[in-house]
Amino acid sequence: MSSATPSEPLKPPLEIPDPATLAAEIVKALKYRDGKDAAVATKDDWLTASIQVVRDRIIDGWIASTKQDDDSGAKRVYYLSLEFLIGRLMRDAFSNLGFMEAMRAALGSLGVELDEIATLEPDAALGNGGLGRLAACFMESMATVDLPAHGYGIRYVNGMFRQEISDGWQVELPETWLDHGNPWEFERRERSSEIGFGGSVDAIVSADGQREQHVWKPQERVLAVAYDTPVVGWRGSRVNTLRLWSGMPIDPILLEAFNAGDHIGALRESNRADALSRVLYPADSSPAGQELRLRQEYFFSAASLQDIVRRHISRYGELRSLPDKAAIHLNDTHPAVAVAELMRLLMDVHGIDFDAAWDITKRTFAYTNHTLLPEALESWPVPLFERLLPRHMQIVYAINAQVLLEARMSGQFDDCQISRISLIEENSERRVRMGNLAFVGSHSVNGVSALHTQLMKETVFADLHRLYPTRVNNKTNGITPRRWLLQCNPGLTALAREAIGDRFFDDIDALRELDRLAEDAAFREKFAAVKRANKERLAALVATRLGVRLDPSALFDIQIKRIHEYKRQLLNIIEAVALYDQIRSHPERDWTARVKFFGGKAAPGYHNAKLIIKLANDVAKVINRDPSVRGLLKVVFVPNYNVSLAEMMIPAADLSEQISTAGMEASGTGNMKFALNGALTIGTLDGANVEISEHVGDDNIFIFGLTADEVTQRRSSGYNPRALIENTPELAQALAAISSGVFSPDDPARYRDLVSDLYDRDWFMVAADFDAYAATQRSVDAVWNDSPDWYAKAIRNVARMGWFSSDRTIREYANDIWNVPL
Ligand SMILES: *Cc1c(COP(=O)(O)O)cnc(C)c1O
């Protein structure tokens, strides 16, 4: 195992002000910035003032970091992502600056409780799930390891929808996180860019008469206005920038149209610009396919590239050195159109010829693939792409010609393989393949776990990998231990510190020293007490929010993530139903008390995912009120899963459910957060579960089910779920109950189709894995009942998860992909 070098703070830690100074600053901010007297200030006012005080202190470091990078001519990393699921920022900043206790005392002296105002901060939900949260962890780690980096994305006015559960069904409501202003952001009008859409392309002869030059004349233009948020690294070592673009009309109101009486038409341009940064498409792992989505992708890619090019030119005066000074990273294919946009800027605006431009482009870009699901790969109909981005369409054709020429010249491919390499899908409808564009336009293409990268080489990118065999590489995902241990689990942090000192604050691998304490009965008891306190906190939240009383001594079994068939919440629910049957049929047995928690949002148009939420709630209703289970089994669905809820639930978990169909979860990062917080994992050999099991050891994890190879094999050799179900009485009985309306007496047919699909097709292999899953759950019970053994395993999980720090991941990106050695 490679051990990263301990991250000594590169600058001395910031001086921590005393509470009295901070208190005075808070009162001053309240008065002179917000015009409020302390006597009438609301909790929201205190929150804003506290953020302003800390923000002021971040700004010095921010300016210093930016100046240092400008002066040194350091290479910068630009991380382009349509999502940044950053959550709340106040604790992050307090904790990374080391201000937490001083701020707590300062607020306390003013009669304000820090933890109380902290929960009022809106959760910046600018992401769907894992992909967006990864970008947020990467931003924090890049600042921590002292890497000059900018994140680029969209400032969605309404980010991810807020989920309410009404009568068991998901209801989507707008998230209004900006309603009370956002003290973290700085508007930068001077950093605005004009972004064009549509129109036509003229071909002219270049000034020197040597070449044909293209001029794009967009029909429509909008402004992209920058909003910057500072991102503070651990111990304030560096402050980087997250720059989010907002759409603005160039002419807020077309007066000519307005005066002519066309009041709606006069605002059309304004509405179009506004729509660009209004909502994040709520589909995770499946392309939205809407014109607005392509507009959003081009809007933020083009604004970011203009910014990068402008910065480079102002310092170096030319663009040929761009790859030496800028590494542009594409987080999935959403910004892949940036490849064509950089080519356009290099050729059409800066007069560089195709070959040189193509060389610069490839050396500048790198791309991370996040999914293998064929239906999830982005592609755009050629007519739409051409209408919106006519010049980019020409450039895509030119790139394609070059790539197909290289493929033919290599002599390795038949026509069928050539057609898979092509950037244009030629089947029924011609489409631009964004994955192929990102692949050919980048010098590095990485997967996010060892298994995912292997499968990428064998499946989606098999032909492109053969053509460019050195391009694909693996960078297993990680999570920032600051947010996902130090902040979310102060109890465990304090316990570890008491036991092994605070070296792990700076070098997470030092957690290893906890390993030997797994054998120490006194330490195990303290560890169990911390877990217990976290569970009580979660039980209190469930009691207030859902009115369900939970026993904190029960095993807390948690599955929180987007609702998706491949993640198999359904397998977990069916197992709950089977267990419910068993408890009722054999009340004399020694059952283990367990609470099954679920949480997660479903894409609003994803019928089965929404039905699975309803099923979890229907099953919960029946089980929770049945006296014959005597509280041995409870099921709860916690609404509106987001980063803040994750921070509350993960430290309270005993068991982490990571049960996707093998081969379908690219990595997972929820799995890492749970293990770092001392939950044992029940999971398949999928995504990063494989590497987690290697790190924590086979004895400290519950692995079950088909492997990815076995799934492929079963699918290709006539998988017959019906026969299988009919031979598995527990499963058949649970499915019969669900299908016949035991849990939905008001609508007995509600789940008929969901269940019949398991009999007829079962693409996600729920039936094939059911027995192994249920049996493994009973071994979980057995270990749980041997409490010293359970906590020894849990402690070993915490001790051995250091490798999954996103600092390690970022160092690998920096060394192997971005060429900014750390
Ligand atoms: C970590 C995280 C995810 C990703 O979870 P997976 O289990 O890896 O899918 C999604 N949403 C939130 C809010 C998270 O914090």
Side-chain angles (χ1 to χ4, degrees), residues 46-94:
W46 288 114
L47 173 72
T48 304
S50 306
I51 291 173
Q52 283 165 340
V53 164
V54 170
R55 197 191 68 177
D56 286 353
R57 288 162 181 275
I58 293 171
I59 289 173
D60 292 331
W62 198 9
I63 292 172
S65 295
T66 307
K67 180 164 187 328
Q68 180 194 321
D69 301 338
D70 284 342
D71 294 349
S72 67
K75 185 169 183 177
R76 281 181 164 103
V77 172
Y78 297 103
Y79 196 81
L80 271 57
S81 179
L82 211 40
E83 306 188 10
F84 287 93
L85 188 48
I86 50 187
R88 293 180 178 139
L89 296 180
M90 188 174 80
R91 274 177 188 283
D92 218 36
F94 286 2

Coordinates of all heavy atoms in Angstrom, one line a residue, residues 46-94:
W46 N -27.5 35.9 13.1 CA -26.3 35.4 13.7 C -25.5 34.5 12.8 O -24.2 34.6 12.7 CB -26.6 34.7 15.0 CG -27.1 35.6 16.1 CD1 -28.3 35.6 16.7 CD2 -26.3 36.6 16.8 NE1 -28.4 36.5 17.7 CE2 -27.2 37.1 17.8 CE3 -25.0 37.1 16.7 CZ2 -26.8 38.2 18.7 CZ3 -24.6 38.1 17.6 CH2 -25.5 38.6 18.5
L47 N -26.2 33.7 12.1 CA -25.5 32.8 11.1 C -24.7 33.6 10.1 O -23.5 33.4 9.8 CB -26.5 31.9 10.5 CG -26.0 31.0 9.3 CD1 -25.1 29.9 9.9 CD2 -27.2 30.4 8.5
T48 N -25.4 34.6 9.5 CA -24.8 35.4 8.4 C -23.6 36.1 9.0 O -22.5 36.1 8.4 CB -25.9 36.4 7.9 OG1 -27.0 35.6 7.4 CG2 -25.3 37.2 6.7
A49 N -23.8 36.7 10.1 CA -22.7 37.5 10.7 C -21.5 36.6 11.0 O -20.3 37.0 10.8 CB -23.1 38.2 12.0
S50 N -21.7 35.4 11.5 CA -20.6 34.5 11.9 C -19.9 34.1 10.6 O -18.6 34.0 10.6 CB -21.1 33.2 12.5 OG -21.9 33.5 13.7
I51 N -20.6 33.8 9.5 CA -20.0 33.4 8.3 C -19.2 34.6 7.8 O -18.0 34.4 7.3 CB -21.0 33.0 7.3 CG1 -21.6 31.7 7.7 CG2 -20.4 32.9 5.9 CD1 -22.8 31.2 6.8
Q52 N -19.7 35.8 7.9 CA -19.0 37.0 7.4 C -17.6 37.2 8.1 O -16.6 37.5 7.5 CB -19.8 38.2 7.5 CG -20.9 38.3 6.4 CD -22.0 39.3 6.7 OE1 -22.2 39.8 7.9 NE2 -22.7 39.7 5.7
V53 N -17.6 37.0 9.4 CA -16.4 37.1 10.2 C -15.3 36.1 9.7 O -14.2 36.5 9.5 CB -16.7 37.0 11.7 CG1 -15.5 36.8 12.5 CG2 -17.5 38.2 12.1
V54 N -15.8 34.9 9.6 CA -14.8 33.9 9.2 C -14.4 34.1 7.7 O -13.2 33.9 7.3 CB -15.3 32.5 9.4 CG1 -14.4 31.4 8.8 CG2 -15.5 32.3 10.9
R55 N -15.3 34.5 6.9 CA -15.0 34.7 5.5 C -14.0 35.8 5.3 O -13.1 35.7 4.5 CB -16.3 35.1 4.8 CG -16.3 35.0 3.3 CD -17.5 35.7 2.7 NE -17.5 37.2 3.0 CZ -18.4 38.0 2.5 NH1 -19.4 37.6 1.9 NH2 -18.2 39.3 2.7
D56 N -14.1 36.9 6.1 CA -13.1 37.9 6.0 C -11.7 37.4 6.3 O -10.7 37.8 5.6 CB -13.4 39.0 7.1 CG -14.6 39.9 6.7 OD1 -15.1 39.7 5.6 OD2 -15.0 40.7 7.6
R57 N -11.6 36.5 7.2 CA -10.3 35.9 7.5 C -9.8 35.0 6.4 O -8.6 34.8 6.2 CB -10.3 35.2 8.8 CG -10.4 36.3 10.0 CD -10.8 35.7 11.2 NE -10.9 36.7 12.3 CZ -9.9 37.1 13.0 NH1 -8.7 36.5 12.8 NH2 -10.0 38.1 13.8
I58 N -10.7 34.4 5.7 CA -10.3 33.5 4.6 C -9.8 34.4 3.4 O -8.9 33.9 2.7 CB -11.5 32.7 4.1 CG1 -12.0 31.7 5.2 CG2 -11.2 31.9 2.8 CD1 -13.3 31.0 5.0
I59 N -10.4 35.6 3.3 CA -10.0 36.4 2.1 C -8.6 36.7 2.0 O -8.0 36.6 0.9 CB -10.9 37.6 2.1 CG1 -12.3 37.2 1.7 CG2 -10.4 38.6 1.0 CD1 -13.3 38.4 1.9
D60 N -7.9 36.9 3.1 CA -6.5 37.2 3.1 C -5.7 36.0 2.5 O -4.9 36.2 1.6 CB -5.9 37.4 4.5 CG -6.5 38.8 5.0 OD1 -6.8 39.7 4.2 OD2 -6.6 38.9 6.3
G61 N -6.1 34.8 2.9 CA -5.4 33.6 2.4 C -5.8 33.4 0.9 O -4.9 32.9 0.2
W62 N -7.0 33.8 0.6 CA -7.4 33.6 -0.8 C -6.6 34.5 -1.7 O -6.1 34.0 -2.7 CB -8.9 34.0 -0.8 CG -9.7 33.5 -2.0 CD1 -9.3 32.6 -2.9 CD2 -11.0 33.9 -2.3 NE1 -10.3 32.4 -3.8 CE2 -11.4 33.2 -3.5 CE3 -11.9 34.8 -1.8 CZ2 -12.6 33.3 -4.1 CZ3 -13.2 34.9 -2.4 CH2 -13.5 34.2 -3.5
I63 N -6.5 35.7 -1.4 CA -5.7 36.6 -2.2 C -4.2 36.2 -2.2 O -3.6 36.2 -3.3 CB -5.9 38.1 -1.6 CG1 -7.3 38.6 -1.9 CG2 -4.8 39.0 -2.3 CD1 -7.7 39.9 -1.2
A64 N -3.7 35.7 -1.1 CA -2.3 35.3 -1.0 C -2.1 34.1 -2.0 O -1.1 34.0 -2.7 CB -2.0 34.9 0.4
S65 N -3.0 33.1 -1.9 CA -2.9 31.9 -2.8 C -2.9 32.3 -4.2 O -2.1 31.8 -5.0 CB -4.0 30.9 -2.5 OG -4.0 30.4 -1.2
T66 N -3.8 33.2 -4.6 CA -4.0 33.6 -6.0 C -2.7 34.3 -6.5 O -2.2 34.1 -7.6 CB -5.2 34.5 -6.2 OG1 -6.3 33.8 -5.6 CG2 -5.5 34.8 -7.6
K67 N -2.2 35.2 -5.6 CA -1.0 36.0 -6.0 C 0.2 35.1 -6.1 O 1.0 35.2 -7.1 CB -0.8 37.1 -4.9 CG 0.4 37.9 -5.2 CD 0.4 39.2 -4.4 CE 1.6 40.2 -4.8 NZ 2.8 39.6 -5.3
Q68 N 0.3 34.2 -5.2 CA 1.4 33.2 -5.2 C 1.4 32.4 -6.5 O 2.5 32.2 -7.1 CB 1.3 32.3 -4.0 CG 2.4 31.3 -3.8 CD 1.9 30.2 -2.8 OE1 1.3 30.5 -1.8 NE2 2.2 28.9 -3.1
D69 N 0.2 32.0 -6.9 CA 0.2 31.2 -8.2 C 0.5 32.1 -9.4 O 1.1 31.6 -10.3 CB -1.2 30.6 -8.3 CG -1.6 29.7 -7.2 OD1 -0.7 29.2 -6.5 OD2 -2.8 29.5 -6.9
D70 N 0.0 33.3 -9.4 CA 0.3 34.2 -10.5 C 1.8 34.4 -10.6 O 2.4 34.4 -11.7 CB -0.4 35.6 -10.3 CG -1.9 35.5 -10.6 OD1 -2.3 34.5 -11.3 OD2 -2.7 36.3 -10.2
D71 N 2.4 34.7 -9.4 CA 3.8 35.1 -9.4 C 4.7 33.9 -9.8 O 5.7 34.0 -10.5 CB 4.3 35.6 -8.0 CG 3.6 36.9 -7.7 OD1 3.0 37.5 -8.6 OD2 3.7 37.3 -6.5
S72 N 4.3 32.7 -9.3 CA 5.2 31.6 -9.6 C 5.0 30.9 -10.9 O 5.8 30.1 -11.4 CB 5.0 30.5 -8.5 OG 3.7 30.0 -8.7
G73 N 3.9 31.3 -11.6 CA 3.6 30.7 -12.9 C 3.3 29.2 -12.8 O 3.6 28.4 -13.7
A74 N 2.8 28.8 -11.6 CA 2.5 27.4 -11.3 C 1.4 26.9 -12.3 O 0.5 27.7 -12.7 CB 2.0 27.3 -9.9
K75 N 1.5 25.7 -12.7 CA 0.5 25.1 -13.5 C -0.8 25.0 -12.6 O -0.8 24.6 -11.5 CB 0.9 23.7 -13.9 CG -0.1 23.0 -14.9 CD 0.5 21.7 -15.5 CE -0.4 21.1 -16.5 NZ 0.2 19.9 -17.1
R76 N -2.0 25.3 -13.2 CA -3.2 25.2 -12.5 C -4.1 24.1 -13.0 O -4.1 23.8 -14.2 CB -4.0 26.6 -12.7 CG -3.5 27.7 -11.9 CD -4.4 28.9 -12.2 NE -4.3 30.0 -11.2 CZ -3.6 31.1 -11.4 NH1 -2.9 31.3 -12.5 NH2 -3.6 32.1 -10.5
V77 N -4.9 23.6 -12.1 CA -5.9 22.6 -12.5 C -7.2 23.2 -12.6 O -7.6 24.0 -11.7 CB -5.9 21.4 -11.4 CG1 -7.0 20.5 -11.7 CG2 -4.5 20.7 -11.4
Y78 N -7.9 22.9 -13.6 CA -9.3 23.4 -13.8 C -10.2 22.2 -13.8 O -10.1 21.4 -14.7 CB -9.4 24.2 -15.1 CG -8.5 25.5 -15.1 CD1 -7.3 25.5 -15.8 CD2 -8.9 26.6 -14.4 CE1 -6.5 26.6 -15.8 CE2 -8.0 27.7 -14.3 CZ -6.8 27.7 -15.0 OH -6.0 28.8 -15.0
Y79 N -11.1 22.2 -12.8 CA -12.0 21.0 -12.7 C -13.4 21.4 -13.1 O -14.1 22.1 -12.4 CB -11.9 20.5 -11.2 CG -12.5 19.1 -11.1 CD1 -11.7 18.0 -11.3 CD2 -13.8 18.9 -10.7 CE1 -12.2 16.7 -11.2 CE2 -14.3 17.6 -10.5 CZ -13.5 16.5 -10.7 OH -14.0 15.3 -10.6
L80 N -13.8 20.9 -14.3 CA -15.1 21.3 -14.9 C -16.1 20.2 -14.5 O -15.9 19.0 -14.9 CB -15.0 21.4 -16.4 CG -14.6 22.7 -17.0 CD1 -13.3 23.2 -16.5 CD2 -14.5 22.6 -18.6
S81 N -17.1 20.6 -13.8 CA -18.1 19.7 -13.4 C -19.5 20.4 -13.4 O -19.6 21.5 -12.8 CB -17.8 19.2 -12.0 OG -18.8 18.3 -11.5
L82 N -20.5 19.7 -13.9 CA -21.8 20.2 -13.9 C -22.4 20.2 -12.5 O -23.5 20.8 -12.3 CB -22.7 19.5 -14.9 CG -23.8 20.2 -15.7 CD1 -23.5 21.6 -16.1 CD2 -24.2 19.4 -16.9
E83 N -21.8 19.5 -11.6 CA -22.3 19.3 -10.3 C -21.2 19.5 -9.2 O -20.1 19.0 -9.4 CB -22.9 17.9 -10.1 CG -24.0 17.6 -11.1 CD -24.7 16.3 -10.8 OE1 -24.5 15.7 -9.7 OE2 -25.4 15.8 -11.7
F84 N -21.6 20.3 -8.2 CA -20.7 20.3 -7.0 C -21.6 20.2 -5.8 O -22.3 21.2 -5.4 CB -20.0 21.7 -6.9 CG -18.8 21.8 -7.9 CD1 -19.0 22.4 -9.1 CD2 -17.6 21.3 -7.6 CE1 -18.0 22.4 -10.0 CE2 -16.5 21.4 -8.5 CZ -16.7 22.0 -9.7
L85 N -21.7 19.1 -5.2 CA -22.6 18.8 -4.1 C -21.9 19.2 -2.8 O -21.4 18.3 -2.0 CB -23.1 17.4 -4.1 CG -24.2 16.9 -3.2 CD1 -25.4 17.8 -3.2 CD2 -24.6 15.5 -3.6
I86 N -21.8 20.5 -2.5 CA -20.9 20.9 -1.4 C -21.6 20.9 0.0 O -20.9 20.9 1.0 CB -20.3 22.3 -1.7 CG1 -21.4 23.3 -2.1 CG2 -19.3 22.2 -2.8 CD1 -20.9 24.7 -2.5
G87 N -22.9 20.9 0.0 CA -23.6 20.9 1.4 C -23.3 22.2 2.1 O -23.1 23.3 1.5
R88 N -23.4 22.2 3.4 CA -23.1 23.4 4.2 C -21.6 23.7 4.2 O -20.8 22.8 4.2 CB -23.7 23.2 5.6 CG -25.2 23.1 5.7 CD -25.6 22.9 7.1 NE -27.1 22.8 7.2 CZ -27.8 21.9 7.9 NH1 -27.1 21.1 8.7 NH2 -29.1 22.0 7.9
L89 N -21.3 25.0 4.4 CA -19.9 25.3 4.3 C -19.3 25.9 5.6 O -18.1 26.0 5.8 CB -19.7 26.4 3.2 CG -19.9 25.9 1.8 CD1 -19.7 27.0 0.8 CD2 -19.0 24.6 1.5
M90 N -20.2 26.3 6.5 CA -19.7 27.0 7.7 C -18.8 26.1 8.6 O -17.7 26.5 9.0 CB -20.9 27.6 8.5 CG -20.4 28.5 9.7 SD -21.7 29.3 10.6 CE -22.2 28.0 11.7
R91 N -19.3 24.9 8.9 CA -18.5 24.1 9.8 C -17.2 23.7 9.1 O -16.1 23.6 9.7 CB -19.3 22.8 10.0 CG -20.2 22.8 11.2 CD -20.9 21.5 11.3 NE -21.9 21.6 12.3 CZ -21.7 21.5 13.6 NH1 -20.5 21.4 14.1 NH2 -22.7 21.7 14.4
D92 N -17.3 23.5 7.8 CA -16.1 23.1 7.0 C -15.0 24.2 7.2 O -13.9 23.9 7.5 CB -16.5 23.1 5.5 CG -15.9 22.0 4.7 OD1 -15.7 20.9 5.3 OD2 -15.6 22.3 3.5
A93 N -15.5 25.4 7.1 CA -14.5 26.5 7.2 C -14.0 26.7 8.6 O -12.8 26.8 8.8 CB -15.2 27.8 6.7
F94 N -14.9 26.7 9.6 CA -14.5 26.8 11.0 C -13.5 25.7 11.3 O -12.4 25.9 11.9 CB -15.7 26.6 11.9 CG -16.6 27.8 12.0 CD1 -16.4 28.9 11.2 CD2 -17.7 27.8 12.8 CE1 -17.3 30.0 11.2 CE2 -18.6 28.9 12.9 CZ -18.4 30.0 12.1

